Amino acid sequence: SLMSYVMTQFTKSISEKKIKIKALYYGMFEYSYEKQSKGITPIVDLKILLDIQEWIKAIDAIKKYSDFTLLVELLEEIGVEEKVYNTFSNLDNTISIANMEAMKQFIETASKKLNYIKSSENKIVKLLAPEIESIVDELNHEKTSDFQYSLAKWFHKNKNYALSYIALAEAIVSKNCEIKGLDKNNMSEENQKKVKSIEYPYDQYYKRGNENSISNIRNSIAHQLADRKGKVNQDIKRLEELLDTFEDYFKK
């Protein structure tokens, strides 16, 4: 039975087809020799082991990469409450499309969503509440710049380096707009000139003229340019240094 279980998991992993296993049966022939069995061989369904393994993979994906995709699929399969399903589905879609404003909105209304999760009839779903609370605590900031900077660190922790660079670049612009009292969402031509005229802190790290600046790396990622194709490892290493460098600036 153990070999059957392992090979079933292996087959699912390597197959290009979407395999759905509905049952995994094991005949307990050795039990038939027991006096209380009356010669009957029980047949048991071991699919619960497969189900638990899928939940383990889903939770592991959340912890390591903040990837809720598999979890959303499992929640749909078990027919969890609609409010709970929508909460996780919306969070997964928001992260996948990397819409920072949508993520900020999710965080701001998270307390209501956490109540849906904590009151769920599904015991496994209830166990996921601390993971959501952890994300909320990490990203819950009133100022847009603080939220975006925390998001940049969060993406970096989850090895999503491209989005981390994009969030960091946006956070620096937002911080400078806040300092100058400018509305980032109302970028008239006059305001754009004011933003461009700002002397950024650690200017050598941000300016477009600098080949290895945040701005250049961010543009290369966003526009899929070929100028940094040989600098992938360098840019990943540099990202951690940049996040550390700007730590004090965002504490102001």
Side-chain angles (χ1 to χ4, degrees):
S1 59
L2 181 59
M3 179 59 74
S4 298
Y5 167 74
V6 171
M7 291 308 298
T8 302
Q9 289 288 73
F10 180 72
T11 303
K12 280 188 68 176
S13 299
I14 66 171
S15 176
E16 294 182 2
K17 297 179 180 179
K18 190 168 183 178
I19 298 174
K20 184 173 179 62
I21 298 168
K22 293 187 175 181
L24 179 63
Y25 295 113
Y26 172 60
M28 297 174 63
F29 184 70
E30 65 278 8
Y31 182 75
S32 63
Y33 292 104
E34 300 290 333
K35 184 179 291 186
Q36 64 270 27
S37 73
K38 298 180 180 179
I40 296 173
T41 300
I43 297 177
V44 294
D45 187 357
L46 300 180
K47 187 176 178 293
I48 188 173
L49 298 178
L50 294 175
D51 293 341
I52 292 172
Q53 185 66 29
E54 290 300 304
W55 284 100
I56 290 171
K57 284 161 61 177
I59 294 169
D60 196 44
I62 294 170
K63 286 180 175 290
K64 287 183 178 177
Y65 311 110
S66 292
D67 181 357
F68 287 80
T69 306
L70 180 55
L71 174 66
V72 170
E73 290 177 3
L74 291 174
L75 292 175
E76 188 174 21
E77 282 183 15
I78 65 173
V80 76
E81 304 97 302
E82 187 176 355
K83 287 181 179 179
V84 173
Y85 174 79
N86 288 339
T87 297
F88 285 105
S89 180
N90 290 338
L91 177 59
D92 183 50
N93 289 337
T94 301
I95 294 172
S96 298
I97 206 166
N99 186 316
M100 284 186 267
E101 283 303 312
M103 285 195 70
K104 193 170 190 299
Q105 184 181 46
F106 182 92
I107 297 299
E108 288 170 350
T109 59
S111 58
K112 185 177 181 181
K113 295 175 174 63
L114 280 168
N115 288 334
Y116 296 155
I117 297 167
K118 289 177 179 177
S119 61
S120 172
E121 295 176 1
N122 187 287
K123 292 181 180 179
I124 296 179
V125 170
K126 285 183 178 180
L127 292 174
L128 295 169
E131 290 302 317
I132 305 300
E133 283 182 310
S134 176
I135 294 173
V136 171
D137 289 342
E138 195 169 346
L139 300 179
N140 191 16
H141 296 279
E142 186 176 345
K143 287 185 179 179
T144 298
S145 62
D146 291 336
F147 166 73
Q148 290 172 335
Y149 177 65
S150 295
L151 191 61
K153 293 196 294 183
W154 186 69
F155 279 134
H156 174 265
K157 182 180 70 176
N158 296 322
K159 303 185 187 301
N160 198 330
Y161 305 120
L163 291 180
S164 180
Y165 262 114
I166 291 172
L168 178 58
E170 288 298 314
I172 294 169
V173 174
S174 295
K175 183 68 174 180
N176 280 280
C177 285
E178 290 166 6
I179 291 172
K180 294 293 181 180
L182 299 173
D183 183 359
K184 191 182 173 189
N185 295 319
N186 180 23
M187 282 289 101
S188 63
E189 188 175 342
E190 183 183 352
N191 281 352
Q192 285 182 25
K193 287 180 181 178
K194 287 181 181 179
V195 172
K196 288 179 181 177
S197 68
I198 293 172
E199 287 194 18
Y200 288 86
Y202 315 107
D203 214 26
Q204 69 271 30
Y205 297 107
Y206 188 81
K207 264 189 175 178
R208 293 183 182 182
N210 182 348
E211 179 189 349
N212 294 317
S213 69
I214 295 170
S215 184
N216 272 5
I217 298 172
R218 179 262 179 212
N219 289 341
S220 181
I221 292 168
H223 301 292
Q224 291 297 294
L225 305 178
D227 59 329
R228 307 195 69 80
K229 60 185 178 183
K231 299 180 180 179
V232 173
N233 292 332
Q234 172 189 309
D235 289 347
I236 290 174
K237 184 178 179 181
R238 183 172 174 74
L239 176 58
E240 185 170 7
E241 296 170 0
L242 289 167
L243 289 168
D244 289 341
T245 298
F246 279 88
E247 182 86 40
D248 290 336
Y249 178 62
F250 283 95
K251 287 181 180 177
K252 292 180 181 179

